[in-house]
PDB file of all heavy atoms in Angstrom:
ATOM      1  N   ARG A 257       2.682  -4.218 -17.611  1.00  0.00           N
ATOM      2  CA  ARG A 257       2.750  -4.255 -19.074  1.00  0.00           C
ATOM      3  C   ARG A 257       1.586  -5.116 -19.536  1.00  0.00           C
ATOM      4  O   ARG A 257       1.607  -6.343 -19.360  1.00  0.00           O
ATOM      5  CB  ARG A 257       4.076  -4.809 -19.559  1.00  0.00           C
ATOM      6  CG  ARG A 257       4.157  -4.891 -21.083  1.00  0.00           C
ATOM      7  CD  ARG A 257       5.526  -5.294 -21.550  1.00  0.00           C
ATOM      8  NE  ARG A 257       6.455  -4.189 -21.497  1.00  0.00           N
ATOM      9  CZ  ARG A 257       7.644  -4.235 -20.894  1.00  0.00           C
ATOM     10  NH1 ARG A 257       8.036  -5.333 -20.298  1.00  0.00           N
ATOM     11  NH2 ARG A 257       8.431  -3.187 -20.910  1.00  0.00           N
ATOM     12  N   LEU A 258       0.594  -4.463 -20.046  1.00  0.00           N
ATOM     13  CA  LEU A 258      -0.552  -5.185 -20.607  1.00  0.00           C
ATOM     14  C   LEU A 258      -0.201  -5.655 -22.005  1.00  0.00           C
ATOM     15  O   LEU A 258       0.706  -5.092 -22.635  1.00  0.00           O
ATOM     16  CB  LEU A 258      -1.773  -4.272 -20.620  1.00  0.00           C
ATOM     17  CG  LEU A 258      -2.187  -3.669 -19.267  1.00  0.00           C
ATOM     18  CD1 LEU A 258      -3.422  -2.799 -19.437  1.00  0.00           C
ATOM     19  CD2 LEU A 258      -2.430  -4.747 -18.238  1.00  0.00           C
ATOM     20  N   PRO A 259      -0.882  -6.670 -22.520  1.00  0.00           N
ATOM     21  CA  PRO A 259      -0.569  -7.185 -23.861  1.00  0.00           C
ATOM     22  C   PRO A 259      -0.582  -6.083 -24.912  1.00  0.00           C
ATOM     23  O   PRO A 259      -1.543  -5.316 -25.025  1.00  0.00           O
ATOM     24  CB  PRO A 259      -1.689  -8.204 -24.103  1.00  0.00           C
ATOM     25  CG  PRO A 259      -2.064  -8.671 -22.739  1.00  0.00           C
ATOM     26  CD  PRO A 259      -1.929  -7.468 -21.857  1.00  0.00           C
ATOM     27  N   GLY A 260       0.511  -5.969 -25.646  1.00  0.00           N
ATOM     28  CA  GLY A 260       0.595  -4.983 -26.714  1.00  0.00           C
ATOM     29  C   GLY A 260       0.847  -3.565 -26.241  1.00  0.00           C
ATOM     30  O   GLY A 260       0.814  -2.632 -27.053  1.00  0.00           O
ATOM     31  N   ARG A 261       1.090  -3.396 -24.948  1.00  0.00           N
ATOM     32  CA  ARG A 261       1.292  -2.052 -24.409  1.00  0.00           C
ATOM     33  C   ARG A 261       2.676  -1.936 -23.798  1.00  0.00           C
ATOM     34  O   ARG A 261       3.343  -2.911 -23.494  1.00  0.00           O
ATOM     35  CB  ARG A 261       0.255  -1.773 -23.324  1.00  0.00           C
ATOM     36  CG  ARG A 261      -1.193  -1.813 -23.772  1.00  0.00           C
ATOM     37  CD  ARG A 261      -1.640  -0.503 -24.363  1.00  0.00           C
ATOM     38  NE  ARG A 261      -1.396   0.620 -23.496  1.00  0.00           N
ATOM     39  CZ  ARG A 261      -2.285   1.113 -22.634  1.00  0.00           C
ATOM     40  NH1 ARG A 261      -3.484   0.545 -22.532  1.00  0.00           N
ATOM     41  NH2 ARG A 261      -1.988   2.171 -21.902  1.00  0.00           N
ATOM     42  N   GLN A 262       3.115  -0.714 -23.595  1.00  0.00           N
ATOM     43  CA  GLN A 262       4.350  -0.483 -22.866  1.00  0.00           C
ATOM     44  C   GLN A 262       4.054  -0.578 -21.372  1.00  0.00           C
ATOM     45  O   GLN A 262       2.904  -0.668 -20.958  1.00  0.00           O
ATOM     46  CB  GLN A 262       4.916   0.887 -23.201  1.00  0.00           C
ATOM     47  CG  GLN A 262       4.017   2.047 -22.761  1.00  0.00           C
ATOM     48  CD  GLN A 262       4.583   3.393 -23.157  1.00  0.00           C
ATOM     49  OE1 GLN A 262       5.469   3.496 -24.007  1.00  0.00           O
ATOM     50  NE2 GLN A 262       4.091   4.446 -22.548  1.00  0.00           N
ATOM     51  N   ARG A 263       5.102  -0.521 -20.573  1.00  0.00           N
ATOM     52  CA  ARG A 263       4.918  -0.587 -19.126  1.00  0.00           C
ATOM     53  C   ARG A 263       4.336   0.730 -18.627  1.00  0.00           C
ATOM     54  O   ARG A 263       4.884   1.800 -18.881  1.00  0.00           O
ATOM     55  CB  ARG A 263       6.258  -0.890 -18.458  1.00  0.00           C
ATOM     56  CG  ARG A 263       6.181  -1.095 -16.961  1.00  0.00           C
ATOM     57  CD  ARG A 263       7.387  -1.848 -16.435  1.00  0.00           C
ATOM     58  NE  ARG A 263       8.647  -1.305 -16.873  1.00  0.00           N
ATOM     59  CZ  ARG A 263       9.820  -1.914 -16.686  1.00  0.00           C
ATOM     60  NH1 ARG A 263       9.862  -3.090 -16.069  1.00  0.00           N
ATOM     61  NH2 ARG A 263      10.921  -1.359 -17.120  1.00  0.00           N
ATOM     62  N   ASP A 264       3.237   0.644 -17.904  1.00  0.00           N
ATOM     63  CA  ASP A 264       2.527   1.824 -17.417  1.00  0.00           C
ATOM     64  C   ASP A 264       2.409   1.799 -15.906  1.00  0.00           C
ATOM     65  O   ASP A 264       2.402   0.726 -15.284  1.00  0.00           O
ATOM     66  CB  ASP A 264       1.112   1.888 -18.011  1.00  0.00           C
ATOM     67  CG  ASP A 264       1.112   2.085 -19.513  1.00  0.00           C
ATOM     68  OD1 ASP A 264       1.907   2.914 -19.995  1.00  0.00           O
ATOM     69  OD2 ASP A 264       0.317   1.412 -20.203  1.00  0.00           O
ATOM     70  N   MET A 265       2.264   2.977 -15.331  1.00  0.00           N
ATOM     71  CA  MET A 265       2.096   3.091 -13.889  1.00  0.00           C
ATOM     72  C   MET A 265       0.743   2.569 -13.466  1.00  0.00           C
ATOM     73  O   MET A 265      -0.269   2.857 -14.107  1.00  0.00           O
ATOM     74  CB  MET A 265       2.267   4.545 -13.468  1.00  0.00           C
ATOM     75  CG  MET A 265       2.225   4.786 -11.958  1.00  0.00           C
ATOM     76  SD  MET A 265       0.577   5.023 -11.262  1.00  0.00           S
ATOM     77  CE  MET A 265       0.249   6.715 -11.770  1.00  0.00           C
ATOM     78  N   VAL A 266       0.710   1.806 -12.380  1.00  0.00           N
ATOM     79  CA  VAL A 266      -0.533   1.360 -11.767  1.00  0.00           C
ATOM     80  C   VAL A 266      -0.785   2.156 -10.497  1.00  0.00           C
ATOM     81  O   VAL A 266      -1.852   2.732 -10.311  1.00  0.00           O
ATOM     82  CB  VAL A 266      -0.484  -0.144 -11.446  1.00  0.00           C
ATOM     83  CG1 VAL A 266      -1.751  -0.589 -10.731  1.00  0.00           C
ATOM     84  CG2 VAL A 266      -0.277  -0.961 -12.713  1.00  0.00           C
ATOM     85  N   ALA A 267       0.197   2.166  -9.608  1.00  0.00           N
ATOM     86  CA  ALA A 267       0.074   2.878  -8.337  1.00  0.00           C
ATOM     87  C   ALA A 267       1.460   3.205  -7.831  1.00  0.00           C
ATOM     88  O   ALA A 267       2.380   2.400  -7.981  1.00  0.00           O
ATOM     89  CB  ALA A 267      -0.681   2.035  -7.307  1.00  0.00           C
ATOM     90  N   THR A 268       1.593   4.378  -7.243  1.00  0.00           N
ATOM     91  CA  THR A 268       2.866   4.769  -6.651  1.00  0.00           C
ATOM     92  C   THR A 268       2.638   5.370  -5.269  1.00  0.00           C
ATOM     93  O   THR A 268       1.561   5.904  -4.980  1.00  0.00           O
ATOM     94  CB  THR A 268       3.615   5.792  -7.519  1.00  0.00           C
ATOM     95  OG1 THR A 268       2.788   6.948  -7.709  1.00  0.00           O
ATOM     96  CG2 THR A 268       4.000   5.213  -8.871  1.00  0.00           C
ATOM     97  N   MET A 269       3.673   5.265  -4.450  1.00  0.00           N
ATOM     98  CA  MET A 269       3.629   5.876  -3.128  1.00  0.00           C
ATOM     99  C   MET A 269       4.923   6.636  -2.902  1.00  0.00           C
ATOM    100  O   MET A 269       6.016   6.076  -3.080  1.00  0.00           O
ATOM    101  CB  MET A 269       3.425   4.817  -2.041  1.00  0.00           C
ATOM    102  CG  MET A 269       3.384   5.406  -0.637  1.00  0.00           C
ATOM    103  SD  MET A 269       2.931   4.174   0.615  1.00  0.00           S
ATOM    104  CE  MET A 269       1.148   4.086   0.369  1.00  0.00           C
ATOM    105  N   ARG A 270       4.800   7.888  -2.529  1.00  0.00           N
ATOM    106  CA  ARG A 270       5.961   8.723  -2.279  1.00  0.00           C
ATOM    107  C   ARG A 270       6.514   8.468  -0.881  1.00  0.00           C
ATOM    108  O   ARG A 270       5.869   7.828  -0.044  1.00  0.00           O
ATOM    109  CB  ARG A 270       5.584  10.193  -2.435  1.00  0.00           C
ATOM    110  CG  ARG A 270       5.107  10.540  -3.843  1.00  0.00           C
ATOM    111  CD  ARG A 270       4.766  12.008  -3.949  1.00  0.00           C
ATOM    112  NE  ARG A 270       3.612  12.368  -3.122  1.00  0.00           N
ATOM    113  CZ  ARG A 270       2.354  12.207  -3.478  1.00  0.00           C
ATOM    114  NH1 ARG A 270       2.073  11.660  -4.641  1.00  0.00           N
ATOM    115  NH2 ARG A 270       1.380  12.568  -2.678  1.00  0.00           N
ATOM    116  N   GLY A 271       7.685   9.009  -0.609  1.00  0.00           N
ATOM    117  CA  GLY A 271       8.297   8.833   0.690  1.00  0.00           C
ATOM    118  C   GLY A 271       7.455   9.382   1.829  1.00  0.00           C
ATOM    119  O   GLY A 271       7.506   8.867   2.954  1.00  0.00           O
ATOM    120  N   ASP A 272       6.640  10.423   1.516  1.00  0.00           N
ATOM    121  CA  ASP A 272       5.791  11.014   2.573  1.00  0.00           C
ATOM    122  C   ASP A 272       4.488  10.250   2.768  1.00  0.00           C
ATOM    123  O   ASP A 272       3.653  10.628   3.572  1.00  0.00           O
ATOM    124  CB  ASP A 272       5.496  12.485   2.249  1.00  0.00           C
ATOM    125  CG  ASP A 272       4.695  12.660   0.956  1.00  0.00           C
ATOM    126  OD1 ASP A 272       4.312  11.657   0.343  1.00  0.00           O
ATOM    127  OD2 ASP A 272       4.465  13.822   0.561  1.00  0.00           O
ATOM    128  N   GLY A 273       4.300   9.180   2.013  1.00  0.00           N
ATOM    129  CA  GLY A 273       3.111   8.351   2.160  1.00  0.00           C
ATOM    130  C   GLY A 273       1.997   8.662   1.183  1.00  0.00           C
ATOM    131  O   GLY A 273       1.006   7.924   1.123  1.00  0.00           O
ATOM    132  N   GLY A 274       2.127   9.755   0.430  1.00  0.00           N
ATOM    133  CA  GLY A 274       1.107  10.081  -0.547  1.00  0.00           C
ATOM    134  C   GLY A 274       1.114   9.091  -1.699  1.00  0.00           C
ATOM    135  O   GLY A 274       2.168   8.579  -2.084  1.00  0.00           O
ATOM    136  N   SER A 275      -0.056   8.804  -2.238  1.00  0.00           N
ATOM    137  CA  SER A 275      -0.158   7.796  -3.286  1.00  0.00           C
ATOM    138  C   SER A 275      -0.913   8.327  -4.493  1.00  0.00           C
ATOM    139  O   SER A 275      -1.700   9.268  -4.389  1.00  0.00           O
ATOM    140  CB  SER A 275      -0.834   6.532  -2.754  1.00  0.00           C
ATOM    141  OG  SER A 275      -2.113   6.825  -2.244  1.00  0.00           O
ATOM    142  N   ASP A 276      -0.654   7.699  -5.620  1.00  0.00           N
ATOM    143  CA  ASP A 276      -1.338   8.019  -6.863  1.00  0.00           C
ATOM    144  C   ASP A 276      -1.722   6.718  -7.557  1.00  0.00           C
ATOM    145  O   ASP A 276      -1.000   5.721  -7.439  1.00  0.00           O
ATOM    146  CB  ASP A 276      -0.432   8.841  -7.783  1.00  0.00           C
ATOM    147  CG  ASP A 276      -0.127  10.208  -7.215  1.00  0.00           C
ATOM    148  OD1 ASP A 276      -1.051  11.049  -7.191  1.00  0.00           O
ATOM    149  OD2 ASP A 276       1.016  10.417  -6.783  1.00  0.00           O
ATOM    150  N   TYR A 277      -2.811   6.768  -8.301  1.00  0.00           N
ATOM    151  CA  TYR A 277      -3.301   5.588  -8.987  1.00  0.00           C
ATOM    152  C   TYR A 277      -3.666   5.923 -10.428  1.00  0.00           C
ATOM    153  O   TYR A 277      -4.136   7.030 -10.725  1.00  0.00           O
ATOM    154  CB  TYR A 277      -4.553   5.034  -8.299  1.00  0.00           C
ATOM    155  CG  TYR A 277      -4.319   4.520  -6.903  1.00  0.00           C
ATOM    156  CD1 TYR A 277      -4.430   5.352  -5.798  1.00  0.00           C
ATOM    157  CD2 TYR A 277      -3.987   3.190  -6.697  1.00  0.00           C
ATOM    158  CE1 TYR A 277      -4.211   4.878  -4.525  1.00  0.00           C
ATOM    159  CE2 TYR A 277      -3.773   2.695  -5.420  1.00  0.00           C
ATOM    160  CZ  TYR A 277      -3.884   3.548  -4.333  1.00  0.00           C
ATOM    161  OH  TYR A 277      -3.667   3.076  -3.069  1.00  0.00           O
ATOM    162  N   ASP A 278      -3.491   4.935 -11.281  1.00  0.00           N
ATOM    163  CA  ASP A 278      -4.041   5.055 -12.618  1.00  0.00           C
ATOM    164  C   ASP A 278      -5.561   5.039 -12.494  1.00  0.00           C
ATOM    165  O   ASP A 278      -6.120   4.342 -11.643  1.00  0.00           O
ATOM    166  CB  ASP A 278      -3.558   3.892 -13.484  1.00  0.00           C
ATOM    167  CG  ASP A 278      -4.091   3.982 -14.888  1.00  0.00           C
ATOM    168  OD1 ASP A 278      -3.584   4.818 -15.661  1.00  0.00           O
ATOM    169  OD2 ASP A 278      -5.022   3.229 -15.219  1.00  0.00           O
ATOM    170  N   GLU A 279      -6.221   5.793 -13.372  1.00  0.00           N
ATOM    171  CA  GLU A 279      -7.680   5.892 -13.294  1.00  0.00           C
ATOM    172  C   GLU A 279      -8.359   4.537 -13.404  1.00  0.00           C
ATOM    173  O   GLU A 279      -9.405   4.307 -12.794  1.00  0.00           O
ATOM    174  CB  GLU A 279      -8.191   6.815 -14.400  1.00  0.00           C
ATOM    175  CG  GLU A 279      -7.951   8.297 -14.148  1.00  0.00           C
ATOM    176  CD  GLU A 279      -8.761   8.825 -12.974  1.00  0.00           C
ATOM    177  OE1 GLU A 279      -9.864   8.300 -12.743  1.00  0.00           O
ATOM    178  OE2 GLU A 279      -8.274   9.735 -12.282  1.00  0.00           O
ATOM    179  N   SER A 280      -7.772   3.638 -14.157  1.00  0.00           N
ATOM    180  CA  SER A 280      -8.422   2.349 -14.401  1.00  0.00           C
ATOM    181  C   SER A 280      -8.466   1.445 -13.167  1.00  0.00           C
ATOM    182  O   SER A 280      -9.216   0.469 -13.156  1.00  0.00           O
ATOM    183  CB  SER A 280      -7.713   1.618 -15.540  1.00  0.00           C
ATOM    184  OG  SER A 280      -6.400   1.243 -15.156  1.00  0.00           O
ATOM    185  N   VAL A 281      -7.674   1.766 -12.153  1.00  0.00           N
ATOM    186  CA  VAL A 281      -7.630   0.906 -10.962  1.00  0.00           C
ATOM    187  C   VAL A 281      -8.121   1.608  -9.702  1.00  0.00           C
ATOM    188  O   VAL A 281      -8.200   0.978  -8.640  1.00  0.00           O
ATOM    189  CB  VAL A 281      -6.207   0.348 -10.723  1.00  0.00           C
ATOM    190  CG1 VAL A 281      -5.681  -0.345 -11.975  1.00  0.00           C
ATOM    191  CG2 VAL A 281      -5.251   1.438 -10.252  1.00  0.00           C
ATOM    192  N   LYS A 282      -8.441   2.886  -9.804  1.00  0.00           N
ATOM    193  CA  LYS A 282      -8.907   3.621  -8.622  1.00  0.00           C
ATOM    194  C   LYS A 282     -10.147   2.955  -8.041  1.00  0.00           C
ATOM    195  O   LYS A 282     -11.075   2.601  -8.767  1.00  0.00           O
ATOM    196  CB  LYS A 282      -9.220   5.069  -8.987  1.00  0.00           C
ATOM    197  CG  LYS A 282      -8.000   5.965  -9.044  1.00  0.00           C
ATOM    198  CD  LYS A 282      -8.400   7.411  -9.296  1.00  0.00           C
ATOM    199  CE  LYS A 282      -7.179   8.311  -9.312  1.00  0.00           C
ATOM    200  NZ  LYS A 282      -7.540   9.728  -9.599  1.00  0.00           N
ATOM    201  N   GLY A 283     -10.133   2.784  -6.714  1.00  0.00           N
ATOM    202  CA  GLY A 283     -11.258   2.144  -6.041  1.00  0.00           C
ATOM    203  C   GLY A 283     -11.173   0.625  -6.014  1.00  0.00           C
ATOM    204  O   GLY A 283     -11.952  -0.020  -5.311  1.00  0.00           O
ATOM    205  N   ARG A 284     -10.251   0.046  -6.782  1.00  0.00           N
ATOM    206  CA  ARG A 284     -10.113  -1.417  -6.806  1.00  0.00           C
ATOM    207  C   ARG A 284      -8.755  -1.869  -6.256  1.00  0.00           C
ATOM    208  O   ARG A 284      -8.653  -2.926  -5.635  1.00  0.00           O
ATOM    209  CB  ARG A 284     -10.261  -1.951  -8.232  1.00  0.00           C
ATOM    210  CG  ARG A 284     -11.607  -1.671  -8.859  1.00  0.00           C
ATOM    211  CD  ARG A 284     -11.769  -2.425 -10.192  1.00  0.00           C
ATOM    212  NE  ARG A 284     -10.790  -2.028 -11.186  1.00  0.00           N
ATOM    213  CZ  ARG A 284      -9.953  -2.865 -11.791  1.00  0.00           C
ATOM    214  NH1 ARG A 284      -9.968  -4.154 -11.484  1.00  0.00           N
ATOM    215  NH2 ARG A 284      -9.101  -2.419 -12.697  1.00  0.00           N
ATOM    216  N   PHE A 285      -7.716  -1.095  -6.518  1.00  0.00           N
ATOM    217  CA  PHE A 285      -6.362  -1.445  -6.092  1.00  0.00           C
ATOM    218  C   PHE A 285      -5.919  -0.499  -4.981  1.00  0.00           C
ATOM    219  O   PHE A 285      -6.275   0.688  -4.977  1.00  0.00           O
ATOM    220  CB  PHE A 285      -5.378  -1.329  -7.242  1.00  0.00           C
ATOM    221  CG  PHE A 285      -5.552  -2.328  -8.350  1.00  0.00           C
ATOM    222  CD1 PHE A 285      -6.642  -3.167  -8.432  1.00  0.00           C
ATOM    223  CD2 PHE A 285      -4.588  -2.427  -9.344  1.00  0.00           C
ATOM    224  CE1 PHE A 285      -6.799  -4.085  -9.450  1.00  0.00           C
ATOM    225  CE2 PHE A 285      -4.713  -3.339 -10.384  1.00  0.00           C
ATOM    226  CZ  PHE A 285      -5.830  -4.163 -10.429  1.00  0.00           C
ATOM    227  N   THR A 286      -5.109  -1.020  -4.068  1.00  0.00           N
ATOM    228  CA  THR A 286      -4.577  -0.213  -2.975  1.00  0.00           C
ATOM    229  C   THR A 286      -3.094  -0.523  -2.784  1.00  0.00           C
ATOM    230  O   THR A 286      -2.726  -1.692  -2.629  1.00  0.00           O
ATOM    231  CB  THR A 286      -5.313  -0.500  -1.660  1.00  0.00           C
ATOM    232  OG1 THR A 286      -6.717  -0.283  -1.830  1.00  0.00           O
ATOM    233  CG2 THR A 286      -4.799   0.423  -0.553  1.00  0.00           C
ATOM    234  N   ILE A 287      -2.298   0.520  -2.795  1.00  0.00           N
ATOM    235  CA  ILE A 287      -0.873   0.360  -2.516  1.00  0.00           C
ATOM    236  C   ILE A 287      -0.627   0.653  -1.036  1.00  0.00           C
ATOM    237  O   ILE A 287      -1.239   1.565  -0.463  1.00  0.00           O
ATOM    238  CB  ILE A 287      -0.014   1.275  -3.412  1.00  0.00           C
ATOM    239  CG1 ILE A 287       1.473   0.957  -3.234  1.00  0.00           C
ATOM    240  CG2 ILE A 287      -0.316   2.750  -3.186  1.00  0.00           C
ATOM    241  CD1 ILE A 287       2.378   1.668  -4.247  1.00  0.00           C
ATOM    242  N   SER A 288       0.238  -0.127  -0.421  1.00  0.00           N
ATOM    243  CA  SER A 288       0.595   0.092   0.978  1.00  0.00           C
ATOM    244  C   SER A 288       2.058  -0.286   1.155  1.00  0.00           C
ATOM    245  O   SER A 288       2.677  -0.858   0.245  1.00  0.00           O
ATOM    246  CB  SER A 288      -0.297  -0.730   1.903  1.00  0.00           C
ATOM    247  OG  SER A 288      -0.141  -2.116   1.666  1.00  0.00           O
ATOM    248  N   ARG A 289       2.591   0.021   2.310  1.00  0.00           N
ATOM    249  CA  ARG A 289       4.006  -0.255   2.521  1.00  0.00           C
ATOM    250  C   ARG A 289       4.273  -0.627   3.971  1.00  0.00           C
ATOM    251  O   ARG A 289       3.483  -0.332   4.869  1.00  0.00           O
ATOM    252  CB  ARG A 289       4.859   0.965   2.159  1.00  0.00           C
ATOM    253  CG  ARG A 289       4.615   2.151   3.087  1.00  0.00           C
ATOM    254  CD  ARG A 289       5.446   3.349   2.691  1.00  0.00           C
ATOM    255  NE  ARG A 289       5.188   4.480   3.575  1.00  0.00           N
ATOM    256  CZ  ARG A 289       5.783   5.663   3.451  1.00  0.00           C
ATOM    257  NH1 ARG A 289       6.657   5.865   2.483  1.00  0.00           N
ATOM    258  NH2 ARG A 289       5.490   6.632   4.297  1.00  0.00           N
ATOM    259  N   ASP A 290       5.391  -1.268   4.179  1.00  0.00           N
ATOM    260  CA  ASP A 290       5.929  -1.539   5.507  1.00  0.00           C
ATOM    261  C   ASP A 290       7.362  -1.028   5.468  1.00  0.00           C
ATOM    262  O   ASP A 290       8.255  -1.703   4.921  1.00  0.00           O
ATOM    263  CB  ASP A 290       5.869  -3.040   5.802  1.00  0.00           C
ATOM    264  CG  ASP A 290       6.333  -3.382   7.212  1.00  0.00           C
ATOM    265  OD1 ASP A 290       7.189  -2.638   7.754  1.00  0.00           O
ATOM    266  OD2 ASP A 290       5.868  -4.381   7.751  1.00  0.00           O
ATOM    267  N   THR A 291       7.598   0.148   6.012  1.00  0.00           N
ATOM    268  CA  THR A 291       8.918   0.764   5.904  1.00  0.00           C
ATOM    269  C   THR A 291       9.974  -0.008   6.696  1.00  0.00           C
ATOM    270  O   THR A 291      11.150   0.015   6.342  1.00  0.00           O
ATOM    271  CB  THR A 291       8.880   2.216   6.387  1.00  0.00           C
ATOM    272  OG1 THR A 291       8.352   2.258   7.717  1.00  0.00           O
ATOM    273  CG2 THR A 291       8.007   3.069   5.483  1.00  0.00           C
ATOM    274  N   VAL A 292       9.555  -0.695   7.741  1.00  0.00           N
ATOM    275  CA  VAL A 292      10.514  -1.474   8.529  1.00  0.00           C
ATOM    276  C   VAL A 292      11.062  -2.629   7.696  1.00  0.00           C
ATOM    277  O   VAL A 292      12.249  -2.956   7.745  1.00  0.00           O
ATOM    278  CB  VAL A 292       9.858  -1.996   9.820  1.00  0.00           C
ATOM    279  CG1 VAL A 292      10.806  -2.934  10.565  1.00  0.00           C
ATOM    280  CG2 VAL A 292       9.450  -0.835  10.711  1.00  0.00           C
ATOM    281  N   LYS A 293      10.193  -3.243   6.918  1.00  0.00           N
ATOM    282  CA  LYS A 293      10.599  -4.384   6.099  1.00  0.00           C
ATOM    283  C   LYS A 293      11.071  -3.960   4.707  1.00  0.00           C
ATOM    284  O   LYS A 293      11.435  -4.825   3.907  1.00  0.00           O
ATOM    285  CB  LYS A 293       9.429  -5.361   5.953  1.00  0.00           C
ATOM    286  CG  LYS A 293       8.989  -5.993   7.261  1.00  0.00           C
ATOM    287  CD  LYS A 293       7.825  -6.952   7.027  1.00  0.00           C
ATOM    288  CE  LYS A 293       7.394  -7.620   8.326  1.00  0.00           C
ATOM    289  NZ  LYS A 293       6.255  -8.547   8.115  1.00  0.00           N
ATOM    290  N   ASN A 294      11.048  -2.648   4.409  1.00  0.00           N
ATOM    291  CA  ASN A 294      11.377  -2.183   3.048  1.00  0.00           C
ATOM    292  C   ASN A 294      10.538  -2.936   2.016  1.00  0.00           C
ATOM    293  O   ASN A 294      11.057  -3.404   0.989  1.00  0.00           O
ATOM    294  CB  ASN A 294      12.864  -2.335   2.757  1.00  0.00           C
ATOM    295  CG  ASN A 294      13.696  -1.266   3.428  1.00  0.00           C
ATOM    296  OD1 ASN A 294      13.278  -0.118   3.541  1.00  0.00           O
ATOM    297  ND2 ASN A 294      14.874  -1.636   3.902  1.00  0.00           N
ATOM    298  N   SER A 295       9.270  -3.060   2.320  1.00  0.00           N
ATOM    299  CA  SER A 295       8.357  -3.791   1.464  1.00  0.00           C
ATOM    300  C   SER A 295       7.156  -2.930   1.111  1.00  0.00           C
ATOM    301  O   SER A 295       6.774  -2.053   1.884  1.00  0.00           O
ATOM    302  CB  SER A 295       7.886  -5.074   2.148  1.00  0.00           C
ATOM    303  OG  SER A 295       8.959  -5.956   2.390  1.00  0.00           O
ATOM    304  N   TRP A 296       6.584  -3.197  -0.034  1.00  0.00           N
ATOM    305  CA  TRP A 296       5.323  -2.566  -0.394  1.00  0.00           C
ATOM    306  C   TRP A 296       4.460  -3.580  -1.113  1.00  0.00           C
ATOM    307  O   TRP A 296       4.953  -4.600  -1.604  1.00  0.00           O
ATOM    308  CB  TRP A 296       5.518  -1.281  -1.185  1.00  0.00           C
ATOM    309  CG  TRP A 296       6.324  -1.335  -2.441  1.00  0.00           C
ATOM    310  CD1 TRP A 296       5.851  -1.371  -3.724  1.00  0.00           C
ATOM    311  CD2 TRP A 296       7.752  -1.303  -2.548  1.00  0.00           C
ATOM    312  NE1 TRP A 296       6.903  -1.374  -4.594  1.00  0.00           N
ATOM    313  CE2 TRP A 296       8.072  -1.322  -3.913  1.00  0.00           C
ATOM    314  CE3 TRP A 296       8.793  -1.258  -1.618  1.00  0.00           C
ATOM    315  CZ2 TRP A 296       9.389  -1.300  -4.368  1.00  0.00           C
ATOM    316  CZ3 TRP A 296      10.102  -1.229  -2.076  1.00  0.00           C
ATOM    317  CH2 TRP A 296      10.378  -1.251  -3.431  1.00  0.00           C
ATOM    318  N   TYR A 297       3.171  -3.252  -1.145  1.00  0.00           N
ATOM    319  CA  TYR A 297       2.185  -4.230  -1.559  1.00  0.00           C
ATOM    320  C   TYR A 297       1.174  -3.594  -2.487  1.00  0.00           C
ATOM    321  O   TYR A 297       0.963  -2.386  -2.464  1.00  0.00           O
ATOM    322  CB  TYR A 297       1.465  -4.780  -0.320  1.00  0.00           C
ATOM    323  CG  TYR A 297       2.417  -5.184   0.787  1.00  0.00           C
ATOM    324  CD1 TYR A 297       2.728  -4.295   1.807  1.00  0.00           C
ATOM    325  CD2 TYR A 297       3.030  -6.432   0.778  1.00  0.00           C
ATOM    326  CE1 TYR A 297       3.632  -4.637   2.801  1.00  0.00           C
ATOM    327  CE2 TYR A 297       3.929  -6.785   1.772  1.00  0.00           C
ATOM    328  CZ  TYR A 297       4.229  -5.886   2.779  1.00  0.00           C
ATOM    329  OH  TYR A 297       5.132  -6.229   3.762  1.00  0.00           O
ATOM    330  N   LEU A 298       0.537  -4.427  -3.273  1.00  0.00           N
ATOM    331  CA  LEU A 298      -0.566  -3.979  -4.114  1.00  0.00           C
ATOM    332  C   LEU A 298      -1.722  -4.940  -3.889  1.00  0.00           C
ATOM    333  O   LEU A 298      -1.658  -6.099  -4.314  1.00  0.00           O
ATOM    334  CB  LEU A 298      -0.176  -3.945  -5.588  1.00  0.00           C
ATOM    335  CG  LEU A 298      -1.237  -3.358  -6.511  1.00  0.00           C
ATOM    336  CD1 LEU A 298      -1.425  -1.861  -6.237  1.00  0.00           C
ATOM    337  CD2 LEU A 298      -0.884  -3.582  -7.983  1.00  0.00           C
TER     338      LEU A 298
END
């Protein structure tokens, strides 16, 4: 949630491992996960 904005997607990862990014963060942000720990990271 940026100032004055609603909550928007930054990055998502599907169960099959595929990911999507907002255009504003592509190339700068990376989403990853650890399925054993039920954790994900940005």
Side-chain angles (χ1 to χ4, degrees):
R257 179 174 282 128
L258 304 181
R261 299 276 307 267
Q262 64 182 17
R263 185 160 50 190
D264 295 317
M265 185 273 283
V266 177
T268 58
M269 180 173 282
R270 298 181 294 277
D272 63 3
S275 58
D276 294 289
Y277 295 89
D278 181 75
E279 285 293 329
S280 67
V281 307
K282 279 185 178 178
R284 298 189 298 123
F285 292 9
T286 304
I287 187 171
S288 62
R289 66 181 179 180
D290 184 331
T291 55
V292 174
K293 296 180 179 180
N294 284 324
S295 297
W296 56 101
Y297 312 94
L298 186 67

